Amino acid sequence: MEVFGRCQLSKGNYEQVAQNATEYNTLSTSAKWLEDIFIADWLPIAACHGPEPTEDECLGWKVHPLIGGKFEIGNLQIFSMSVYQSIMGQLHRQLGQRPESTPPPTRSRLKFW
């Protein structure tokens, strides 16, 4: 079964947003839903300030806000879609294993070069 989910910035948890691809495709036609779930209004803002990703790329956080990155244009860059999905999967697994009382690190240990 496919899972259609997202990460909540404030809590860092993963939750289901649609039961299946058909429901996802229906919901994703709503601009409000896309904004609420994916902060979609950031895409045109980011696109105006730099190159647009190709079909196999995405905009991603240099330092994710869940680990102390700033929610700003300067903290975005273009990544290979498969690489960024892998990085985000690892990040969210690690954050899910962190005890609730553990504060986020003050700086990222991820290196991008």
Side-chain angles (χ1 to χ4, degrees):
M1 176 180 185
E2 293 182 24
V3 176
F4 297 86
R6 71 172 175 120
C7 170
Q8 289 183 329
L9 262 181
S10 61
K11 297 180 183 173
N13 60 2
Y14 189 78
E15 66 184 48
Q16 187 168 333
V17 297
Q19 295 298 317
N20 53 48
T22 302
E23 181 183 13
Y24 176 85
N25 289 337
T26 300
L27 291 169
S28 69
T29 62
S30 162
K32 181 177 179 349
W33 184 83
L34 290 170
E35 169 55 24
D36 291 345
I37 299 300
F38 298 111
I39 316 171
D41 63 349
W42 261 83
L43 180 59
I45 294 168
C48 289
H49 290 87
E52 290 187 43
T54 63
E55 187 174 313
D56 61 341
E57 296 176 325
C58 66
L59 287 174
W61 301 109
K62 293 176 188 176
V63 179
H64 200 285
L66 288 173
I67 57 171
K70 293 183 179 181
F71 201 87
E72 63 185 20
I73 296 294
N75 190 27
L76 291 174
Q77 77 177 48
I78 293 179
F79 289 88
S80 156
M81 180 72 76
S82 59
V83 169
Y84 196 69
Q85 288 174 342
S86 177
I87 292 169
M88 290 299 99
Q90 293 172 41
L91 172 66
H92 291 289
R93 273 192 303 279
Q94 291 171 0
L95 291 175
Q97 296 170 355
R98 184 177 67 192
E100 287 293 324
S101 62
T102 305
T106 56
R107 59 186 277 251
S108 172
R109 293 192 175 122
L110 300 174
K111 293 183 180 179
F112 302 102
W113 58 104

